Amino acid sequence: MKRILACVAIVLMAGVAVFGQFHYGFYYDLSGGRDLEINLMNTMPWENGVTIEVHDAFGNLIWESYGPIPGHSTVYVRLGNDIPAGATHWGVVTVDSTDRVVIGLEYFADEALVSVDTIYNEIPIVEAGESYWIGSYYSQVVDVDTAFVVMNPWPSDSLCTVSAYNANGVPVYTRDFWLAPYESEFVALGQEIGSGSLLYGLLDVRLEGQLVVLAIEYHGRGCSGLEIDNITEFYF
């Protein structure tokens, strides 16, 4: 049976960041009837200390919680129970833990479950001064629409460049993003490039010095009409 975070002595910490050895990040949205349930699974047989921080679109810390998870136990948080809906209440959630966790995410729209994702890789720490790339699929074909969110999960500025290529490898979109600590940017590709028979393919993100979290919203896909994926691992 699931246990709410408070039932395992999770205590709210006002203004205090408790960082663990492992650092994870993913997307949430509490605007427009959206919600997110976070399931934290301790992969170890011993107690695991976990900190959750939720930041709004501008990077402001709007909620945090800390506490231990017993060995091989699972606890959950429904963000909408603790954070009110708001136009800027979307962006990055960070989880820091003293040992490895697996994070199950259930995304809701108007109280209906629309998408499920699993986070098991921490955000890699990369070499300063080096370039890295993360990538994803996008589609703007017929009635399909793709939105992407770039999120800075770090307490320092992040720089990234997002490019989209059509099916023939021709660049159809590029933009630089300078993100303040924990800031996020949302882009609906339909408003930028429209739709077309060749408007699908590679969405490429070039990063300098530290990684961002990339989330993709696929509208018009899946049984619910919305699929959400989080990407943290770099491919090069």
Side-chain angles (χ1 to χ4, degrees), residues 61-176:
L61 179 65
I62 59 174
W63 187 81
E64 63 181 339
S65 184
Y66 169 77
I69 302 176
H72 291 154
S73 295
T74 299
V75 298
Y76 81 97
V77 175
R78 183 73 175 259
L79 290 184
N81 291 338
D82 296 292
I83 305 170
T88 64
H89 285 182
W90 57 270
V92 67
V93 178
T94 59
V95 172
D96 290 274
S97 58
T98 55
D99 221 318
R100 297 184 186 277
V101 295
V102 174
I103 306 169
L105 303 175
E106 295 189 354
Y107 290 94
F108 292 83
D110 299 322
E111 297 300 323
L113 178 65
V114 296
S115 189
V116 177
D117 199 8
T118 302
I119 306 294
Y120 51 86
N121 287 323
E122 61 177 318
I123 304 169
I125 297 175
V126 295
E127 294 290 334
E130 296 292 332
S131 296
Y132 296 84
W133 284 262
I134 57 178
S136 181
Y137 167 71
Y138 82 95
S139 178
Q140 294 296 127
V141 178
V142 192
D143 58 350
V144 179
D145 195 13
T146 304
F148 70 85
V149 188
V150 284
M151 295 162 281
N152 181 6
W154 306 104
S156 56
D157 293 348
S158 288
L159 173 66
C160 66
T161 301
V162 180
S163 302
Y165 299 85
N166 71 10
N168 290 331
V170 177
V172 293
Y173 172 86
T174 187
R175 179 180 166 186
D176 294 329

